[in-house]
Amino acid sequence: MAKDLSRQKKFETRIDFTPMVDMNMLLITFFMLCTTMIKSQTLQISLPSNEKIEEEQQNKVKQSEAVTIIIDGELKQANVDGNAEAQVADAAAGMLFYYDGMPPTAQDLLKITKGELENPMKQVAFGSQEGALPAIREILRERNKDVVAKIAELKKDWKEMKFSSNEDKNDSIYQAKAKEIRNDSTLKRPVVIIKATPNASYAHVVNVLDEMQINNISRYQIDRINMVDSAMMMPLKEKALSAK
Amino acid sequence: MGKVKIKKKDTRIDMTAMSDVTVLLLTFFMLTSTFLQKEPITVITPPSVSEEKVPDQNLLSVLISPTGKVYLEVLGSKDSTFKSETVRADLLRNMAAKYNEKHPNAKVSLTNKEVAEFAKLNAFGVPFRYMKDWLSIEDITLRDKVLQGEEPLTTKDGQKVKLAGIPISMNEDANNPNEFQMWVQCAYNSMNDELKQSMVKGKGIAIKADQTTPYSVVNVVMDNLQTIKMNKFSLMTALKAEEE
């Protein structure tokens, strides 16, 4: 009896942490699956208001500066939210057309259809061939080469931290200078008019808007497609389809 | 020769260190996480090189499904008196007043309970005359399904209707706004001045459309916004690495 009392049981002081780890792992998995780490990006655009503007008040685009890009696409049937008949744009089938200069008038179109005038519209491939830049980027870069060259120079200085040794300050000076160059009216800068047909997919429209950013084009607008544009597009489309 | 004494090894691993690590990770995830918001439709935004982040407060986003259903999401500010719930309740009251003014024969009167229910919702998009019927659905999963258009809504007079987002159509008459435009105007004129300011700057309105949405659908939304003079807005995109 006395012997039993004197022999105190030695408790194990170490606690087994395995269940704790199990539980934590579960919680981590839960948080990892339910969270969004990447926030969406935004593209800022501003459109003109819908009010009718007097002809004289419109700033006329110079003939040599205008480039019109037309985005076309195809619709396909897809199963969207249980609706099997839904018509959505086919993200794989995009077509891109462009022409330089002002949009042709109805008289010009008549001449084009008769063959008296050459069709100014050309088709470019969407996306890029392997290893090459997207075709539209090459075209836009060529039109905006003064600005692109200046920005490239500026970027070199920025990378070498020439503006300031402070990284944030360096960035903000770079941004301000880049903006200045993009809006420098002494340089030859294009005005890009983007038009999309109803069948074009939203992805392609954003893709073209993106090219504006990549090529540092400060003047661009989204416009509505008109009869002349679609009439000029028809023969090119037929050609592209028959080539398939 | 003495016996070789084999030392008995302890097979238990000390889990304390492991537990420390998991707790740390858990803390990190808990602090950085923003939960995925429940949306009536899953939208895959197109990629762009833009690096501007979507604001996480004072934002009105327009969700567009590939088939053209339009939903709205409202976020209030994080740390002022105008929390999301307050802003949404205010928005709904404004909208009800505006709607009843326009439709004196088909007034919608909402109870405080219904307004409170609405304030909790992240996304909404039902024709306003069905708002009361929709909010009075008790079963949350059924309510979501009705919002998505998977299940019909039973109105109080026993009719069954399938819903397809906020009614929207081409409208260029700013004095006679359609329902979508009324919602946007109400959000603009709500008592939250911060939301108004960011909408003026173009950061407060974001269009979130799926890649495969035909441009015709996006165009209707953009045109509607232009008509009510909200011609600055942003397009939500996903991150894409810039290839040089």
Side-chain angles (χ1 to χ4, degrees):
Chain A
M1 191 82 178
K3 214 178 176 185
D4 269 10
L5 272 175
S6 68
R7 223 177 88 192
Q8 266 197 337
K9 214 178 177 185
K10 207 177 167 193
F11 277 101
E12 173 85 81
T13 45
R14 276 167 56 181
I15 306 163
D16 187 9
F17 268 99
T18 325
M20 173 84 165
V21 171
D22 286 354
M23 188 197 68
N24 281 345
M25 279 296 187
L26 253 168
L27 279 172
I28 290 175
T29 325
F30 168 73
F31 274 101
M32 275 173 79
L33 292 178
C34 294
T35 54
T36 39
M37 293 295 259
I38 312 159
K39 277 173 83 185
S40 295
Q41 267 63 35
T42 57
L43 253 180
Q44 292 267 342
I45 55 168
S46 48
L47 300 173
S49 82
N50 259 359
E51 284 167 90
K52 300 274 172 287
I53 315 167
E54 299 292 315
E55 280 282 306
E56 306 97 64
Q57 284 183 326
Q58 281 183 0
N59 343 339
K60 284 279 175 207
V61 178
K62 273 190 226 152
Q63 169 85 26
S64 58
E65 288 177 336
V67 182
T68 306
I69 299 177
I70 293 167
I71 310 159
D72 193 17
E74 274 168 40
L75 294 184
K76 66 167 183 192
Q77 281 199 350
N79 194 341
V80 185
D81 351 304
N83 184 357
E85 303 284 285
Q87 293 268 329
V88 301
D90 190 350
M95 278 192 260
L96 209 55
F97 305 92
Y98 82 98
Y99 59 82
D100 291 303
M102 292 308 291
T105 57
Q107 280 98 345
D108 291 336
L109 179 69
L110 212 66
K111 280 183 192 166
I112 290 165
T113 45
K114 278 182 190 161
E116 290 167 23
L117 251 167
E118 207 190 329
N119 191 343
M121 200 184 277
K122 294 179 199 79
Q123 190 181 2
V124 284
F126 228 116
S128 56
Q129 303 294 322
E130 252 177 75
L133 292 176
I136 191 71
R137 191 173 306 170
E138 303 257 22
I139 292 159
L140 290 172
R141 192 162 282 186
E142 172 61 29
R143 304 284 185 288
N144 203 25
K145 57 175 184 254
D146 293 358
V147 175
V148 171
K150 276 210 162 185
I151 295 264
E153 246 171 66
L154 191 73
K155 211 170 187 174
K156 226 167 102 192
D157 287 353
W158 169 70
K159 275 195 180 140
E160 287 165 12
M161 305 271 276
K162 270 193 185 166
F163 306 122
S164 165
S165 51
N166 181 330
E167 202 168 310
D168 288 339
K169 216 173 163 192
N170 193 42
D171 275 1
S172 62
I173 295 175
Y174 166 73
Q175 294 295 352
K177 285 199 174 183
K179 199 176 173 189
E180 220 168 82
I181 294 175
R182 267 183 238 131
N183 296 324
D184 187 352
S185 53
T186 57
L187 297 171
K188 189 172 172 289
R189 296 171 306 152
V191 177
V192 183
I193 302 156
I194 301 163
K195 294 177 179 178
T197 64
N199 291 355
S201 85
Y202 176 64
H204 289 147
V205 178
V206 171
N207 195 327
V208 171
L209 284 171
D210 218 26
E211 291 296 330
M212 300 300 126
Q213 288 222 338
I214 296 170
N215 294 307
N216 293 302
I217 293 170
S218 57
R219 298 187 294 176
Y220 58 89
Q221 64 191 71
I222 301 176
D223 209 342
R224 275 174 221 168
I225 197 148
N226 57 27
M227 286 302 287
V228 178
D229 293 318
S230 37
M232 287 201 308
M233 205 165 67
M234 279 317 283
L236 291 172
K237 257 181 105 167
E238 272 168 29
K239 216 169 104 188
L241 286 176
S242 65
K244 264 184 189 170
Chain B
M1 269 248 262
K3 266 191 204 163
V4 181
K5 211 176 174 184
I6 300 171
K7 219 180 180 183
K8 206 178 169 190
K9 266 188 196 163
D10 193 358
T11 47
R12 277 165 56 183
I13 308 163
D14 187 12
M15 280 287 178
T16 326
M18 179 78 168
S19 172
D20 287 353
V21 174
T22 49
V23 167
L24 251 167
L25 271 173
L26 190 61
T27 324
F28 168 73
F29 276 106
M30 275 172 77
L31 292 179
T32 55
S33 66
T34 42
F35 280 96
L36 279 175
Q37 294 287 349
K38 199 159 66 179
E39 286 176 347
I41 42 167
T42 348
V43 160
I44 305 165
T45 49
S48 93
V49 294
S50 177
E51 279 169 0
E52 218 166 309
K53 292 269 185 287
V54 175
D56 52 2
Q57 54 176 350
N58 296 319
L59 179 75
L60 174 77
S61 37
V62 186
L63 215 63
I64 309 172
S65 86
T67 45
K69 289 180 197 165
V70 175
Y71 301 93
L72 284 174
E73 290 175 359
V74 184
L75 284 181
S77 80
K78 270 189 168 169
D79 42 44
S80 76
T81 42
F82 303 113
K83 294 223 179 280
S84 294
E85 280 79 22
T86 328
V87 174
R88 285 178 199 147
D90 183 45
L91 169 67
L92 185 67
R93 287 210 182 87
N94 281 347
M95 182 63 189
K98 204 162 180 164
Y99 182 86
N100 290 342
E101 197 181 301
K102 204 179 165 191
H103 303 268
N105 300 326
K107 281 189 177 168
V108 174
S109 56
L110 297 162
T111 60
N112 281 341
K113 190 180 164 248
E114 281 155 354
V115 174
E117 200 65 37
F118 179 84
K120 281 187 240 156
L121 297 168
N122 177 44
F124 59 91
V126 293
F128 202 77
R129 59 198 176 114
Y130 299 130
M131 186 57 95
K132 194 179 171 70
D133 295 324
W134 180 62
L135 285 173
S136 54
I137 300 175
E138 300 274 328
D139 182 1
I140 293 172
T141 34
L142 178 66
R143 191 159 63 192
D144 285 345
K145 280 196 172 153
V146 168
L147 183 63
Q148 286 161 5
E150 279 179 17
E151 296 278 338
L153 174 81
T154 320
T155 58
K156 54 181 178 297
D157 33 311
Q159 277 181 309
K160 280 191 191 284
V161 262
K162 270 206 162 183
L163 305 179
I166 297 173
I168 185 167
S169 59
M170 254 341 193
N171 175 27
E172 298 204 345
D173 183 4
N175 297 321
N176 185 21
N178 61 27
E179 219 166 275
F180 169 76
Q181 288 167 326
M182 278 157 75
W183 277 113
V184 179
Q185 280 173 335
C186 286
Y188 181 79
N189 292 323
S190 77
M191 54 186 177
N192 182 358
D193 205 45
E194 289 170 30
L195 178 61
K196 190 174 186 168
Q197 289 308 321
S198 66
M199 278 169 90
V200 169
K201 277 186 221 141
K203 283 184 193 252
I205 313 179
I207 292 182
K208 193 174 184 184
D210 193 85
Q211 288 188 1
T212 54
T213 311
Y215 180 67
S216 50
V217 172
V218 184
N219 188 30
V220 171
V221 174
M222 294 213 256
D223 197 82
N224 266 289
L225 290 172
Q226 273 174 282
T227 302
I228 50 170
K229 292 180 194 157
M230 311 256 173
N231 37 25
K232 269 188 181 174
F233 44 83
S234 40
L235 307 174
M236 271 199 210
T237 55
L239 189 67
K240 177 173 83 176
E242 187 178 359
E243 68 259 42
E244 271 292 333

